Amino acid sequence: MKKALLILGGIAGTLVLALVIFLLTFDADAYKPRLESAASQATGMNVRINGKMKLTLFPHAGFRLEEVLIKNQGADVLAVKRTEAAIRLLPLLKREVSIKHIRFIDPRVFITKDEKGRFNFATPRKKPAGKKFQARLGGAEEILINGGYLQYLDKKTGDKTEAGACDLTIHDISSDAGGLFRRLSFAGDFACKEFRKEALRISAIRGIMKVHEGILEANPITMKIFGGD
């Protein structure tokens, strides 16, 4: 039994060492075009990684992407300065990327509705391609957004709404196999330094939210508006 344990320990140590060497020597940038292509097909939009892509080993296995840009019909939809994610290793054997937690740093979201009522993120539905790597957020423990900015523009009316310096934390995420928003549940909290719409200014917005099967409840919500709390 002692000899068997020593052999198993040696095999496990060898596998861990091989994994460490692989992660330290892996050239992630060489896979950028394949990742961009897969993400573009999945979203129906043009996804580009303009910065570096790195695998990380400590303090946890994961990856980091810099300067991610998503465009649709020639217009920016989402720009993220840096994305950091921790992943589970075993699902990689099933050609799945199972994300433990993910952080988006300085994301900028641009939502536009044109004169015909169409949104800039709308894309035609596509049939799923063959079995490839799939990313699953359903098992994620936490999703974080730091320093986010949101702009909504209605081209028909000219109204523009902006929210800046926003932080969002989402946890306890669950969804069924369908993955639709109405089947999604999670809890979290949010905060925005400022919200602007024409002459209206709201600051220090904070709230706790809960989503169950697509129904969102935010309670309490605090803010500074019209000179008071």
Side-chain angles (χ1 to χ4, degrees):
M1 179 62 70
K2 183 177 180 180
K3 185 179 291 186
L5 290 175
L6 288 174
I7 293 174
L8 290 175
I11 293 174
T14 302
L15 290 175
V16 171
L17 179 61
L19 177 61
V20 171
I21 294 174
F22 170 75
L23 291 176
L24 291 177
T25 59
F26 183 75
D27 183 11
D29 280 333
Y31 285 79
K32 279 173 57 175
R34 295 171 61 180
L35 181 59
E36 290 172 337
S37 176
S40 297
Q41 291 181 8
T43 61
M45 297 184 242
N46 185 11
V47 180
R48 290 292 176 265
I49 304 171
N50 296 321
K52 293 182 178 181
M53 174 180 171
K54 294 182 179 180
L55 284 179
T56 58
L57 182 59
F58 300 105
H60 43 65
F63 61 86
R64 184 174 69 192
L65 307 176
E66 297 179 354
E67 304 296 343
V68 177
L69 178 63
I70 300 179
K71 301 172 72 75
N72 190 35
Q73 301 176 6
D76 292 354
V77 176
L78 173 65
V80 184
K81 184 177 181 180
R82 189 165 77 248
T83 302
E84 300 172 349
I87 62 175
R88 299 178 178 90
L89 296 178
L90 290 180
L92 292 175
L93 300 176
K94 302 178 183 179
R95 303 184 65 81
E96 292 180 352
V97 178
S98 180
I99 297 174
K100 292 180 63 177
H101 54 263
I102 187 168
R103 180 191 301 269
F104 301 97
I105 300 173
D106 292 342
R108 299 175 63 83
V109 181
F110 305 93
I111 300 177
T112 304
K113 185 168 70 171
D114 64 17
E115 293 82 356
K116 296 182 180 180
R118 296 175 299 192
F119 289 97
N120 61 331
F121 55 82
T123 58
R125 288 189 176 182
K126 292 184 178 181
K127 294 182 179 180
K131 188 175 181 180
K132 298 182 179 180
F133 272 102
Q134 298 179 352
R136 296 192 294 108
L137 286 175
E141 298 171 1
E142 194 174 49
I143 298 176
L144 302 168
I145 294 176
N146 296 132
Y149 168 82
L150 171 66
Q151 176 184 287
Y152 171 72
L153 175 63
D154 189 330
K155 288 189 173 181
K156 185 175 182 180
T157 62
D159 292 339
K160 182 167 72 171
T161 302
E162 296 176 283
C166 297
D167 296 330
L168 173 68
T169 301
I170 294 175
H171 50 83
D172 298 332
I173 305 164
S174 64
S175 64
D176 63 12
L180 298 175
F181 182 76
R182 60 185 173 86
R183 300 170 182 171
L184 183 67
S185 299
F186 60 83
D189 56 79
F190 62 91
C192 282
K193 184 177 180 180
E194 186 178 33
F195 173 92
R196 302 185 299 271
K197 183 176 181 181
E198 299 179 356
L200 178 63
R201 296 289 188 273
I202 305 175
S203 61
I205 305 169
R206 295 183 179 275
I208 298 175
M209 62 182 179
K210 184 177 181 180
V211 172
H212 180 65
E213 296 182 349
I215 299 175
L216 185 147
E217 177 185 356
N219 184 27
I221 298 178
T222 62
M223 67 190 73
K224 292 182 180 296
I225 182 171
F226 306 132
D229 295 330

PDB file of all heavy atoms in Angstrom, residues 38-47 70 72 121 123-124 126:
ATOM      1  N   ALA A  38     -14.184  32.273 -32.970  1.00  0.00           N
ATOM      2  CA  ALA A  38     -15.221  31.547 -32.233  1.00  0.00           C
ATOM      3  C   ALA A  38     -16.177  32.510 -31.547  1.00  0.00           C
ATOM      4  O   ALA A  38     -17.400  32.317 -31.557  1.00  0.00           O
ATOM      5  CB  ALA A  38     -14.574  30.614 -31.213  1.00  0.00           C
ATOM      6  N   ALA A  39     -15.638  33.588 -30.939  1.00  0.00           N
ATOM      7  CA  ALA A  39     -16.487  34.564 -30.257  1.00  0.00           C
ATOM      8  C   ALA A  39     -17.361  35.321 -31.262  1.00  0.00           C
ATOM      9  O   ALA A  39     -18.521  35.629 -30.979  1.00  0.00           O
ATOM     10  CB  ALA A  39     -15.630  35.537 -29.465  1.00  0.00           C
ATOM     11  N   SER A  40     -16.817  35.623 -32.427  1.00  0.00           N
ATOM     12  CA  SER A  40     -17.589  36.325 -33.453  1.00  0.00           C
ATOM     13  C   SER A  40     -18.742  35.472 -33.952  1.00  0.00           C
ATOM     14  O   SER A  40     -19.863  35.953 -34.151  1.00  0.00           O
ATOM     15  CB  SER A  40     -16.673  36.719 -34.620  1.00  0.00           C
ATOM     16  OG  SER A  40     -15.670  37.619 -34.194  1.00  0.00           O
ATOM     17  N   GLN A  41     -18.481  34.175 -34.150  1.00  0.00           N
ATOM     18  CA  GLN A  41     -19.547  33.274 -34.591  1.00  0.00           C
ATOM     19  C   GLN A  41     -20.614  33.109 -33.523  1.00  0.00           C
ATOM     20  O   GLN A  41     -21.810  33.039 -33.822  1.00  0.00           O
ATOM     21  CB  GLN A  41     -18.954  31.918 -34.961  1.00  0.00           C
ATOM     22  CG  GLN A  41     -18.087  31.935 -36.222  1.00  0.00           C
ATOM     23  CD  GLN A  41     -17.532  30.575 -36.557  1.00  0.00           C
ATOM     24  OE1 GLN A  41     -17.902  29.565 -35.949  1.00  0.00           O
ATOM     25  NE2 GLN A  41     -16.633  30.526 -37.521  1.00  0.00           N
ATOM     26  N   ALA A  42     -20.187  33.061 -32.254  1.00  0.00           N
ATOM     27  CA  ALA A  42     -21.144  32.858 -31.162  1.00  0.00           C
ATOM     28  C   ALA A  42     -22.046  34.070 -30.960  1.00  0.00           C
ATOM     29  O   ALA A  42     -23.235  33.929 -30.662  1.00  0.00           O
ATOM     30  CB  ALA A  42     -20.395  32.533 -29.871  1.00  0.00           C
ATOM     31  N   THR A  43     -21.496  35.279 -31.121  1.00  0.00           N
ATOM     32  CA  THR A  43     -22.264  36.497 -30.871  1.00  0.00           C
ATOM     33  C   THR A  43     -22.913  37.069 -32.127  1.00  0.00           C
ATOM     34  O   THR A  43     -23.833  37.876 -32.033  1.00  0.00           O
ATOM     35  CB  THR A  43     -21.360  37.582 -30.255  1.00  0.00           C
ATOM     36  OG1 THR A  43     -20.302  37.896 -31.185  1.00  0.00           O
ATOM     37  CG2 THR A  43     -20.761  37.106 -28.943  1.00  0.00           C
ATOM     38  N   GLY A  44     -22.417  36.665 -33.298  1.00  0.00           N
ATOM     39  CA  GLY A  44     -22.908  37.260 -34.532  1.00  0.00           C
ATOM     40  C   GLY A  44     -22.362  38.655 -34.768  1.00  0.00           C
ATOM     41  O   GLY A  44     -22.827  39.373 -35.651  1.00  0.00           O
ATOM     42  N   MET A  45     -21.353  39.053 -33.975  1.00  0.00           N
ATOM     43  CA  MET A  45     -20.735  40.370 -34.102  1.00  0.00           C
ATOM     44  C   MET A  45     -19.237  40.216 -34.344  1.00  0.00           C
ATOM     45  O   MET A  45     -18.695  39.100 -34.316  1.00  0.00           O
ATOM     46  CB  MET A  45     -20.988  41.211 -32.844  1.00  0.00           C
ATOM     47  CG  MET A  45     -22.452  41.501 -32.587  1.00  0.00           C
ATOM     48  SD  MET A  45     -22.694  42.604 -31.167  1.00  0.00           S
ATOM     49  CE  MET A  45     -23.631  41.538 -30.091  1.00  0.00           C
ATOM     50  N   ASN A  46     -18.576  41.325 -34.594  1.00  0.00           N
ATOM     51  CA  ASN A  46     -17.142  41.320 -34.858  1.00  0.00           C
ATOM     52  C   ASN A  46     -16.388  41.488 -33.539  1.00  0.00           C
ATOM     53  O   ASN A  46     -16.423  42.562 -32.934  1.00  0.00           O
ATOM     54  CB  ASN A  46     -16.797  42.450 -35.834  1.00  0.00           C
ATOM     55  CG  ASN A  46     -15.342  42.418 -36.246  1.00  0.00           C
ATOM     56  OD1 ASN A  46     -14.626  41.450 -35.972  1.00  0.00           O
ATOM     57  ND2 ASN A  46     -14.894  43.462 -36.907  1.00  0.00           N
ATOM     58  N   VAL A  47     -15.714  40.445 -33.084  1.00  0.00           N
ATOM     59  CA  VAL A  47     -14.996  40.458 -31.811  1.00  0.00           C
ATOM     60  C   VAL A  47     -13.498  40.491 -32.088  1.00  0.00           C
ATOM     61  O   VAL A  47     -12.980  39.656 -32.836  1.00  0.00           O
ATOM     62  CB  VAL A  47     -15.342  39.224 -30.953  1.00  0.00           C
ATOM     63  CG1 VAL A  47     -14.587  39.258 -29.638  1.00  0.00           C
ATOM     64  CG2 VAL A  47     -16.848  39.159 -30.706  1.00  0.00           C
ATOM     65  N   ILE A  70     -15.943  44.786 -29.308  1.00  0.00           N
ATOM     66  CA  ILE A  70     -17.026  44.127 -30.040  1.00  0.00           C
ATOM     67  C   ILE A  70     -17.754  45.188 -30.859  1.00  0.00           C
ATOM     68  O   ILE A  70     -18.228  46.182 -30.312  1.00  0.00           O
ATOM     69  CB  ILE A  70     -18.007  43.422 -29.091  1.00  0.00           C
ATOM     70  CG1 ILE A  70     -17.267  42.359 -28.274  1.00  0.00           C
ATOM     71  CG2 ILE A  70     -19.151  42.792 -29.869  1.00  0.00           C
ATOM     72  CD1 ILE A  70     -18.164  41.627 -27.290  1.00  0.00           C
ATOM     73  N   ASN A  72     -20.638  45.864 -34.195  1.00  0.00           N
ATOM     74  CA  ASN A  72     -21.726  45.301 -34.988  1.00  0.00           C
ATOM     75  C   ASN A  72     -22.164  46.350 -36.004  1.00  0.00           C
ATOM     76  O   ASN A  72     -22.415  47.500 -35.644  1.00  0.00           O
ATOM     77  CB  ASN A  72     -22.910  44.910 -34.091  1.00  0.00           C
ATOM     78  CG  ASN A  72     -23.955  44.115 -34.849  1.00  0.00           C
ATOM     79  OD1 ASN A  72     -23.633  43.329 -35.739  1.00  0.00           O
ATOM     80  ND2 ASN A  72     -25.216  44.307 -34.507  1.00  0.00           N
ATOM     81  N   PHE A 121     -27.068  46.150 -31.266  1.00  0.00           N
ATOM     82  CA  PHE A 121     -26.561  44.823 -30.900  1.00  0.00           C
ATOM     83  C   PHE A 121     -27.396  43.697 -31.502  1.00  0.00           C
ATOM     84  O   PHE A 121     -27.094  42.515 -31.295  1.00  0.00           O
ATOM     85  CB  PHE A 121     -26.510  44.662 -29.375  1.00  0.00           C
ATOM     86  CG  PHE A 121     -27.820  44.921 -28.684  1.00  0.00           C
ATOM     87  CD1 PHE A 121     -28.795  43.944 -28.620  1.00  0.00           C
ATOM     88  CD2 PHE A 121     -28.075  46.161 -28.105  1.00  0.00           C
ATOM     89  CE1 PHE A 121     -30.002  44.182 -27.986  1.00  0.00           C
ATOM     90  CE2 PHE A 121     -29.272  46.406 -27.463  1.00  0.00           C
ATOM     91  CZ  PHE A 121     -30.240  45.419 -27.404  1.00  0.00           C
ATOM     92  N   THR A 123     -28.664  40.983 -33.988  1.00  0.00           N
ATOM     93  CA  THR A 123     -28.039  40.191 -35.046  1.00  0.00           C
ATOM     94  C   THR A 123     -29.005  39.103 -35.473  1.00  0.00           C
ATOM     95  O   THR A 123     -29.851  38.656 -34.681  1.00  0.00           O
ATOM     96  CB  THR A 123     -26.736  39.537 -34.558  1.00  0.00           C
ATOM     97  OG1 THR A 123     -27.024  38.715 -33.418  1.00  0.00           O
ATOM     98  CG2 THR A 123     -25.698  40.589 -34.182  1.00  0.00           C
ATOM     99  N   PRO A 124     -28.913  38.642 -36.717  1.00  0.00           N
ATOM    100  CA  PRO A 124     -29.767  37.539 -37.154  1.00  0.00           C
ATOM    101  C   PRO A 124     -29.425  36.263 -36.405  1.00  0.00           C
ATOM    102  O   PRO A 124     -28.266  36.011 -36.080  1.00  0.00           O
ATOM    103  CB  PRO A 124     -29.451  37.416 -38.655  1.00  0.00           C
ATOM    104  CG  PRO A 124     -28.095  38.027 -38.804  1.00  0.00           C
ATOM    105  CD  PRO A 124     -28.034  39.120 -37.792  1.00  0.00           C
ATOM    106  N   LYS A 126     -28.537  32.525 -35.696  1.00  0.00           N
ATOM    107  CA  LYS A 126     -27.766  31.535 -36.433  1.00  0.00           C
ATOM    108  C   LYS A 126     -27.929  30.173 -35.783  1.00  0.00           C
ATOM    109  O   LYS A 126     -28.052  30.064 -34.564  1.00  0.00           O
ATOM    110  CB  LYS A 126     -26.273  31.920 -36.438  1.00  0.00           C
ATOM    111  CG  LYS A 126     -25.971  33.177 -37.238  1.00  0.00           C
ATOM    112  CD  LYS A 126     -24.475  33.420 -37.272  1.00  0.00           C
ATOM    113  CE  LYS A 126     -24.138  34.639 -38.109  1.00  0.00           C
ATOM    114  NZ  LYS A 126     -22.673  34.874 -38.172  1.00  0.00           N
TER     115      LYS A 126
END
